[in-house]
Amino acid sequence: MRKPNGFTFQNIFSLTLKTSLTRPRPFKAYSFVPFSPLAMLDPTILTIGSIVLGIAIIERILERWGVIDLVDQLTKVMRFILPVTFYSALIYFFATFMF
């Protein structure tokens, strides 16, 4: 029967560091998507968003005051204006965005 050989940590992993044959080369990373969140700060987009937000706030104020008939009329108009405004702003944003 043979005696089993014992391996120590020092024998397996020697402390002498060998230099690698290949040196790491620095590389430049480029982004293929030129999108910046700051592009959303377009004055036209901010103006349209402010107008829509203002109308929504006015609608809530009128609802609290109890002017329900005026709120209903405003809601009917906004059901048409809000989607048209949103899609127009989206088309404008992508049409003027520099790719």
Side-chain angles (χ1 to χ4, degrees):
M1 189 179 228
R2 290 190 333 188
K3 181 179 177 184
N5 293 334
F7 295 107
T8 61
F9 183 79
Q10 286 82 11
N11 290 341
I12 297 172
F13 299 104
S14 64
L15 295 178
T16 59
L17 298 175
K18 298 179 182 176
T19 58
S20 63
L21 297 177
T22 59
R23 288 183 292 166
R25 295 183 183 145
F27 64 96
K28 294 181 181 179
Y30 295 101
S31 174
F32 293 106
V33 181
F35 181 75
S36 171
L38 296 177
M40 294 298 287
L41 296 177
D42 185 40
T44 306
I45 301 295
L46 289 177
T47 304
I48 292 171
S50 301
I51 290 170
V52 170
L53 185 64
I55 291 172
I57 291 172
I58 290 171
E59 185 178 355
R60 292 292 180 188
I61 291 172
L62 290 175
E63 186 179 358
R64 285 188 183 178
W65 285 352
V67 191
I68 303 300
D69 55 342
L70 189 58
V71 172
D72 288 339
Q73 293 295 325
L74 190 60
T75 304
K76 288 178 185 176
V77 171
M78 292 309 291
R79 280 187 188 159
F80 174 74
I81 291 177
L82 284 178
V84 170
T85 305
F86 172 74
Y87 288 117
S88 300
L90 193 65
I91 290 170
Y92 170 80
F93 175 72
F94 284 116
T96 59
F97 185 62
M98 298 303 242
F99 285 103

